[in-house]
Amino acid sequence: FRSLPTPEDQEILKREIARHYITMDRDRIVDKLLVIRAEDEQLYQELLILMNRENPRKMADVTEKLHRALVNDDTLLRILEEVEQDRLTRSSSLSSYLTALSRPDAVNEIQRMHRSGEIRSDELGQLFSQFSPVQAAYFMRYLDDSLVQQVRNQLPGSLLTEIDKQLAAQLNHEQALIQQSNLYSSKRIEDLVPLLTTENEHKVVDLAFLYHQLSASRGGRILARSDDAEFIQLLLREMMQQEKLVESREGKTKQLTEAVSVHQENNQKVQELVSVYQRMELAELAPLVERMLVSNTIVQQHIFSPEDQIVITEEQLVLDVLNKMKPALISDLLGQLSTPRAVLLSQKLYGN
């Protein structure tokens, strides 16, 4: 119509269309008018007026049918919009609930809610879209493979790419920690204490991972050197959280707790012996130390597994005590021992 040369020509054509349409059956008129309405609301309204002039009775029926059709279309759209809004609200609420939990608890809760039907399979994509890529990657590392595949199938490609980047970064970081723990397994305990009993070198979540890699006996010996009870409890809580995700780690926190207790008791005993030994005469101390080194009986033993045990012998007790005594006193003591015993003890004191 807009291309016709004059408004008068347009009006003539509109009247011709109205006269043509009014001859059709009512349902076909409705279909035609709905198509026109979708393209040109003004023309639609003008044709209604013109057709009503041609046949008011017929147009009364047509108008009623149009009204019902339009109401139904609008209702469906409204319902669909409400459904989509409900889904967004629900996924946002679930996301807020899950991110308020610790990450290990959130992983287990997602799996529980999915198994129980509280989270439907078709909701997984929208739910994971609410998480940050870092959170989503963490969850997908530990969720069941079948559930992860459903999530991946529902996520848009751009978001999935970002999540996969975060997933690769997390796995690389974990591999680096494993390599670090292998190095720590051969370092002197004295060197590890400042590295593994504070958050100066590692975050607590990484420390928990590292302690899971170390043997309970070695980890307990390190952690027993810490006087920060609050730090120890924080570390143990984080280790318990990580146990929820990896079955092979189960029980390690309990073992480490026991190992810390054993080593703390031993440290207390060592401190008491230091006070006693430093008050003794060399003539009395040297034979006592020599007898302990020769007999080397087991003072205390705690078994976690055949490969992981705490074994405190008299020799180890002597070494621990001497390491806390004044260097001058140690030097005098070594001079009182038999030469082979003095050489061996010196090697273990200063070369271990």
Side-chain angles (χ1 to χ4, degrees), residues 321-332:
V321 171
L322 295 183
N323 271 318
K324 291 184 175 296
M325 293 175 66
K326 296 175 182 179
L329 182 56
I330 296 174
S331 179
D332 291 342

Side-chain angles (χ1 to χ4, degrees), residues 14 23 53 65 83 88 133 195 211 233 236 251 257 270 282 316 349:
K14 290 174 190 176
T23 63
R53 291 173 183 169
K65 287 178 177 287
V83 168
L88 285 172
L195 299 177
Y211 274 96
Q233 289 306 310
L236 294 175
T257 303
V270 166
L282 280 177
Q316 184 61 53
L349 277 172

Side-chain angles (χ1 to χ4, degrees), residues 59-222:
M59 281 304 296
D61 292 340
V62 170
T63 302
E64 180 62 29
K65 287 178 177 287
L66 281 170
H67 178 70
R68 286 200 299 270
L70 292 172
V71 169
N72 288 340
D73 285 349
D74 291 344
T75 301
L76 286 174
L77 289 173
R78 179 175 54 79
I79 291 172
L80 287 174
E81 289 173 357
E82 289 176 354
V83 168
E84 183 62 24
Q85 186 58 47
D86 287 345
R87 286 177 177 173
L88 285 172
T89 301
R90 172 173 161 76
S91 63
S92 178
S93 176
L94 281 172
S95 171
S96 297
Y97 164 64
L98 292 167
T99 52
L101 303 175
S102 68
R103 286 185 179 177
D105 284 340
V107 169
N108 291 327
E109 184 67 352
I110 290 170
Q111 294 192 147
R112 184 197 67 77
M113 294 180 76
H114 184 254
R115 285 194 300 268
S116 69
E118 294 172 68
I119 298 176
R120 300 191 310 274
S121 292
D122 62 357
E123 294 180 302
L124 290 169
Q126 194 165 56
L127 173 60
F128 271 71
S129 296
Q130 300 284 328
F131 299 135
S132 71
V134 172
Q135 290 173 321
Y138 183 93
F139 295 154
M140 291 170 70
R141 283 176 60 195
Y142 296 107
L143 289 170
D144 294 340
D145 290 343
S146 60
L147 198 152
V148 170
Q149 192 56 53
Q150 293 181 68
V151 173
R152 298 182 72 87
N153 290 340
Q154 296 175 36
L155 290 176
S158 58
L159 178 56
L160 192 55
T161 298
E162 184 58 34
I163 290 173
D164 283 340
K165 287 180 182 177
Q166 295 297 330
L167 186 57
Q170 291 177 21
L171 292 173
N172 289 337
H173 179 64
E174 185 173 290
Q175 190 59 42
L177 287 175
I178 291 173
Q179 294 173 0
Q180 191 77 64
S181 71
N182 291 336
L183 293 174
Y184 287 167
S185 295
S186 57
K187 277 188 173 242
R188 295 171 68 248
I189 296 296
E190 290 73 15
D191 296 333
L192 292 176
V193 171
L195 299 177
L196 299 180
T197 59
T198 70
E199 292 186 76
N200 294 336
E201 187 74 17
H202 301 286
K203 296 178 181 178
V204 71
V205 64
D206 291 341
L207 285 168
F209 183 89
L210 288 167
Y211 274 96
H212 270 296
Q213 306 307 308
L214 297 172
S215 67
S217 55
R218 187 170 180 80
R221 193 175 175 195
I222 296 166

Side-chain angles (χ1 to χ4, degrees), residues 34-51:
L34 287 174
V35 171
I36 292 171
R37 181 180 183 272
E39 298 178 358
D40 191 329
E41 176 70 25
Q42 182 180 343
L43 177 59
Y44 167 77
Q45 294 295 340
E46 291 174 350
L47 287 175
L48 285 180
I49 295 170
L50 292 171
M51 292 173 69

